[in-house]
Amino acid sequence: MIDFEEELKRFKPAMEVEDAADVIRRSDLTDMIDIMKKLTEEKNTPADGRQ
Amino acid sequence: MKCYVCDYEFENQQGICPNCGTDNSLYTAIIASSNRCYNEGLELAKVRNLTGAATKLTAALRFNKMNTDARNLLGLVYFETGETVLAIREWVISKNLQAEDNDVDRYLHEIQYGPGLLERLDETNRKYNQALTYCYEGSRDLTRIQLKRVLKNQPKMVKARLLLALLYMQDDEYENARKELRIAMRIDGGNPLTVSYLNEVNDVLRERSEKRKKKGDRKDKEAVSFQDGNDTVVMPRQTFIEALDASKGGILNIIIGMVIGLLVCIFLIVPEVRQRENTNTANALVSANENAANSATDVTTLQQQVADLTARLDKYEGQSDVKTSYESLLSAVTAAGNGDSETVKTALASVNRDVLDSSGQAAYDSVSGTINAAAAKAAFDAGETARNSGDYPTAITQYLAVLALDERYSDGDALYRLAQCYEKSEDYANAVTYYQKLAEAFPDTTNGRKAARKVISLADKAAAAAQNQADAGNTAGAGN
């Protein structure tokens, strides 16, 4: 049986257009390639910072 | 392929960059995974499983944020389900990551320059948020109204439909809920909330249907509901027999009303109508009679006119027309000049004096006067001769002919002579008559005065003669 109040909590307010800029700015665009690049850089850089 | 570290392009199958020695095999695998997720997302989008497609496309972007196709498609999926801001986000990011040769230009142009599109979408989102606020406050009716407005502007806003379906379910309107959920399924068949709600609704409706069949409870019958503007009207479904049973009293009232109406018609309306018809008929009859009377009057008038015209025509019958009259007058004038009185008389008899002009009439009068004078003299002389010889009847005839031509001939001499002839013939009545005429016409003449005395002296004789005549008539009648 569906509980109305519980289900109602799932419904969040919709974003408005004026919030779009903020949403875009806050977007995390890190992908696996970025992670892999970072790992590769860390691997190639010794702990003391020497290359 | 291009090395992800130094961007050096090479064709090494093992993936080792000859420039920097970096192992690109993992990078290659990540790219492949991203593409695979994009393909799966694309397939799901084609079958309208937009939630599943969004998940796959998001995963594709997690692998490779530079997968422009996946990002553009993700934006489309968001836009289709009414998530306008998320769609704009993906497209803007796509444009930023790949400025050249990007299909997203078309979408952004449409959003930016479509007439009032962005404003309308934003307005829709605001109304949805307002509806949600009403719902949190417990005003479910206002929420419904607002959600219907939202869906009118943005029919594909899945979350608005789901919220409306939830409200219907809460108010036990499972049929309406099912209708909304089916529409939501057609937009996004993979939305787990839609599937969940729809399953719930189907279960409840199935359960109720089975209960109804088992118990045969007619009170718990299926209701008929329909939309009337913003309201939903729910009525219990009834069979015809049930409606009749419930409305027996109503039918009886209807029958009674019909009987009363019929009686009113029979006793009030029908006589009135008949009365009116009779009145109209009587009026028509009167009018017809008046017309007949008028016609009769017209006929009488016309007959009188005909008689008058006939009488006038008779005066002219035997009379000459204008041409003939003038010809006859000419003949008469010529004959008068020759002294041929007989021809003159004959010609004048054919002349119609009335059709002549004034000069013609003057000529006629002159000629006829001349002829009449001569004729009268001749007749008077003949009368004198006859009187002197004692032939009173002949004298009377001649004197009458004179009087026919000229009553005042010789200042009443003809009258006097005629009266004397009648006196001598012992016709005292006619004698008195002509003596009277003479006395009246010429009272100051000798003959006139004599005539007046004669009238008095002969009055007794005339009366006696009249009496004798009357007695003779009675005796003749009794003898027969």
Side-chain angles (χ1 to χ4, degrees):
Chain A
M1 193 66 190
I2 289 178
D3 181 1
F4 177 74
E5 296 301 329
E6 285 300 317
E7 291 302 322
L8 191 58
K9 289 176 187 172
R10 295 182 185 224
F11 291 88
K12 304 291 178 204
M15 281 183 282
E16 295 176 21
V17 174
E18 60 193 17
D19 301 329
D22 196 39
V23 167
I24 293 167
R25 207 177 298 115
R26 286 189 282 110
S27 297
D28 180 14
L29 299 180
T30 306
D31 61 358
M32 286 193 70
I33 295 175
D34 294 333
I35 296 169
M36 193 176 67
K37 277 185 182 176
K38 192 175 174 186
L39 288 173
T40 306
E41 280 173 16
E42 285 175 0
K43 183 182 165 186
N44 291 337
T45 306
D48 57 0
R50 284 180 299 166
Q51 290 199 2
Chain B
M1 64 183 289
K2 194 187 281 189
C3 177
Y4 74 93
V5 174
C6 62
D7 289 336
Y8 182 79
E9 287 200 27
F10 64 97
E11 290 290 330
N12 191 333
Q13 292 295 329
Q14 279 75 29
I16 306 295
C17 174
N19 187 38
C20 63
T22 309
D23 183 5
N24 282 272
S25 57
L26 190 56
Y27 170 75
T28 309
I30 292 170
I31 297 296
S33 298
S34 176
N35 289 339
R36 190 167 51 248
C37 288
Y38 165 72
N39 291 336
E40 288 169 0
L42 181 60
E43 289 304 315
L44 290 170
K46 283 179 182 176
V47 296
R48 279 276 167 182
N49 183 352
L50 300 183
T51 303
T55 307
K56 286 290 180 183
L57 293 169
T58 304
L61 292 171
R62 284 275 180 235
F63 281 115
N64 177 19
K65 70 183 175 204
M66 299 302 291
N67 193 338
T68 308
D69 289 341
R71 196 175 294 281
N72 291 346
L73 182 58
L74 181 60
L76 269 178
V77 166
Y78 283 144
F79 191 78
E80 182 65 5
T81 54
E83 300 288 352
T84 313
V85 175
L86 294 178
I88 292 172
R89 182 191 71 179
E90 296 305 327
W91 288 334
V92 168
I93 291 171
S94 173
K95 179 67 180 172
N96 274 277
L97 292 178
Q98 184 179 326
E100 302 293 326
D101 193 25
N102 194 338
D103 288 338
V104 81
D105 292 333
R106 195 158 44 90
Y107 307 144
L108 288 172
H109 188 273
E110 185 70 29
I111 288 283
Q112 199 170 355
Y113 298 111
L117 177 61
L118 196 58
E119 288 79 16
R120 189 164 52 84
L121 293 172
D122 198 33
E123 179 73 23
T124 304
N125 286 338
R126 274 198 225 104
K127 283 185 181 174
Y128 171 79
N129 293 339
Q130 183 66 49
L132 204 55
T133 306
Y134 288 148
C135 199
Y136 288 144
E137 291 168 358
S139 307
R140 293 212 286 270
D141 291 335
L142 288 175
T143 310
R144 276 200 201 186
I145 293 167
Q146 197 72 328
L147 285 173
K148 284 174 183 172
R149 284 182 189 161
V150 165
L151 289 170
K152 197 175 172 184
N153 279 338
Q154 180 74 309
K156 291 185 178 174
M157 195 172 189
V158 174
K159 59 187 174 189
R161 278 203 193 274
L162 290 176
L163 182 57
L164 185 59
L166 187 64
L167 288 169
Y168 281 141
M169 286 157 67
Q170 180 64 15
D171 294 334
D172 205 31
E173 295 178 35
Y174 283 91
E175 277 293 338
N176 288 337
R178 183 160 67 177
K179 200 162 59 174
E180 297 299 330
L181 290 170
R182 280 178 173 170
I183 296 171
M185 278 294 281
R186 282 199 289 272
I187 299 167
D188 180 9
N191 190 310
L193 213 54
T194 309
V195 173
S196 163
Y197 289 173
L198 195 56
N199 287 337
E200 176 70 21
V201 164
N202 286 336
D203 287 343
V204 169
L205 289 175
R206 195 182 310 117
E207 202 177 297
R208 287 183 182 177
S209 174
E210 283 169 2
K211 272 186 192 172
R212 211 165 35 246
K213 281 178 188 172
K214 276 180 188 173
K215 289 183 182 177
D217 184 3
R218 285 203 171 268
K219 284 184 185 175
D220 187 22
K221 52 175 95 43
E222 192 179 346
V224 175
S225 65
F226 57 91
Q227 289 295 118
D228 182 17
N230 277 331
D231 299 324
T232 303
V233 179
V234 179
M235 292 170 55
R237 188 191 293 274
Q238 278 184 322
T239 64
F240 183 66
I241 302 295
E242 287 169 345
L244 275 182
D245 288 338
S247 65
K248 272 182 186 166
I251 291 176
L252 188 62
N253 287 334
I254 289 169
I255 291 170
I256 291 171
M258 285 171 69
V259 168
I260 291 172
L262 196 63
L263 291 173
V264 165
C265 275
I266 291 170
F267 290 109
L268 293 178
I269 296 174
V270 169
E272 175 64 26
V273 170
R274 279 190 187 160
Q275 179 65 29
R276 199 174 300 152
E277 281 180 5
N278 289 339
T279 306
N280 289 342
T281 306
N283 288 339
L285 189 62
V286 166
S287 173
N289 285 337
E290 283 177 359
N291 289 340
N294 290 337
S295 299
T297 305
D298 292 338
V299 167
T300 306
T301 306
L302 289 170
Q303 284 176 341
Q304 184 62 40
Q305 285 179 358
V306 167
D308 290 342
L309 288 170
T310 304
R312 285 169 65 186
L313 186 62
D314 288 343
K315 277 199 302 188
Y316 289 99
E317 271 188 355
Q319 296 288 330
S320 303
D321 59 359
V322 175
K323 178 172 172 291
T324 309
S325 293
Y326 275 104
E327 286 175 353
S328 298
L329 180 62
L330 190 60
S331 300
V333 169
T334 305
N338 296 333
D340 184 356
S341 59
E342 289 302 318
T343 306
V344 171
K345 280 186 196 173
T346 308
L348 285 180
S350 301
V351 174
N352 185 356
R353 185 178 181 279
D354 294 331
V355 303
L356 301 175
D357 61 1
S358 57
S359 58
Q361 288 179 350
Y364 176 85
D365 293 340
S366 171
V367 172
S368 66
T370 307
I371 292 299
N372 289 343
K377 185 176 183 313
F380 185 79
D381 291 343
E384 288 291 287
T385 305
R387 184 175 67 83
N388 290 332
S389 65
D391 184 4
Y392 295 118
T394 304
I396 287 171
T397 304
Q398 291 299 328
Y399 290 133
L400 285 173
V402 172
L403 291 178
L405 293 171
D406 184 4
E407 266 201 355
R408 298 174 68 88
Y409 183 79
S410 187
D411 292 331
D413 276 346
L415 277 169
Y416 189 68
R417 295 287 184 257
L418 179 62
Q420 279 184 326
C421 287
Y422 275 122
E423 184 183 356
K424 292 282 197 262
S425 302
E426 295 183 1
D427 185 355
Y428 298 110
N430 280 323
V432 167
T433 300
Y434 284 101
Y435 279 131
Q436 182 74 33
K437 275 190 181 177
L438 177 59
E440 287 171 358
F442 301 96
D444 298 326
T445 61
T446 306
N447 286 340
R449 286 192 285 273
K450 285 183 186 176
R453 287 195 291 274
K454 283 287 186 183
V455 166
I456 295 168
S457 65
L458 294 177
D460 291 337
K461 286 184 180 178
Q467 183 64 39
N468 290 336
Q469 196 173 5
D471 290 340
N474 289 338
T475 304
N480 292 335

